[in-house]
Amino acid sequence: GQSLEQPSEVTAVEGAIVQINCTYQTSGFYGLSWYQQHDGGAPTFLSYNALDGLEETGRFSSFLSRSDSYGYLLLQELQMKDSASYFCAVNNAGNMLTFGGGTRLMVKP
Amino acid sequence: DVKVTQSSRYLVKRTGEKVFLECVQDMDHENMFWYRQDPGLGLRLIYFSYDVKMKEKGDIPEGYSVSREKKERFSLILESASTNQTSMYLCASSQPAGGTDTQYFGPGTRLTVL
């Protein structure tokens, strides 16, 4: 079976840094993706890690440790518009994604 | 920009009705997917298709079927809708890229079965 664990909810203040963790158990693994979904919106791709280490894209960074079956999404200089749900997803063979349950991030002023 | 459209944003049906959810993508993507999204459960894969007339079961195919007669269109069919199929349904498409496939999602259809 496959499973991904991430916190259900995280709260932070504007300007702060927040880290959303994701641990996974999967039979096939090509990499770890992160998607953002605003309320009422479609999930949109944020980042992808195939190899161990940190990938940085502007204010967002994503980290992967394959040996620990662990990754995280790091959001810096939080803005109100970052309030959304964030999903980690394992890229399996056959172009498939298995998603975690999502982390709802609330950014407060 | 990739565009994935879904036929309805909101749909209300009665138990036992046959329901069709349509999805169209405009980027000539090979792969198309149907997910359902429920609070706390994330997105769960119902079916996917990697080519016209090809389909593969996902994690929760029971009670659903799919059709892909044209590359750009992927339909999800609920043969006999039940109340436990009340959910948000999301369609996505991607182009195979050796593991880095980014999926592009439609806006979703919120289906209520009464």
Side-chain angles (χ1 to χ4, degrees), chain A residues 71-87:
Chain A
Y72 65 73
L73 180 69
L74 190 73
L75 297 84
Q76 303 183 72
E77 300 171 21
L78 279 174
Q79 301 175 8
M80 297 297 291
K81 67 179 182 179
D82 297 329
S83 292
S85 293
Y86 293 84
F87 295 89

Side-chain angles (χ1 to χ4, degrees), chain B residues 97 101 104:
Chain B
D101 314 349
Y104 297 87

Side-chain angles (χ1 to χ4, degrees), chain A residues 95, chain B residues 25 27-33 48-52 54 68 70-72 92-97:
Chain A
N95 315 305
Chain B
Q25 50 95 1
M27 282 300 291
D28 203 35
H29 282 173
E30 305 272 337
N31 303 324
M32 296 189 75
F33 307 84
F48 72 100
S49 169
Y50 53 88
D51 202 352
V52 174
M54 305 302 287
R68 194 165 179 202
K70 293 185 177 182
K71 191 175 186 179
E72 68 271 18
S93 72
S94 73
Q95 187 63 14

Side-chain angles (χ1 to χ4, degrees), chain B residues 5 14 23 30 32 34 43 49 57 61 68-69 78 81-82 85 89-90 95 104 113:
Chain B
T5 57
R14 298 215 173 266
C23 174
E30 305 272 337
M32 296 189 75
W34 275 106
L43 285 73
S49 169
K57 292 181 179 178
R68 194 165 179 202
E69 296 296 317
L78 288 67
S82 63
Q85 293 178 309
Y89 289 88
L90 290 162
Q95 187 63 14
Y104 297 87
V113 182

Side-chain angles (χ1 to χ4, degrees), chain B residues 20-78:
Chain B
F20 292 88
L21 302 182
E22 302 282 335
C23 174
V24 177
Q25 50 95 1
D26 67 357
M27 282 300 291
D28 203 35
H29 282 173
E30 305 272 337
N31 303 324
M32 296 189 75
F33 307 84
W34 275 106
Y35 296 90
R36 64 176 283 175
Q37 183 175 21
D38 302 287
L41 298 178
L43 285 73
R44 293 180 292 166
L45 182 65
I46 304 171
Y47 268 97
F48 72 100
S49 169
Y50 53 88
D51 202 352
V52 174
K53 297 193 186 294
M54 305 302 287
K55 60 184 180 184
E56 294 285 343
K57 292 181 179 178
D59 298 318
I60 51 164
E62 296 77 21
Y64 304 94
S65 62
V66 290
S67 172
R68 194 165 179 202
E69 296 296 317
K70 293 185 177 182
K71 191 175 186 179
E72 68 271 18
R73 190 179 297 268
F74 192 34
S75 302
L76 180 69
I77 303 149
L78 288 67

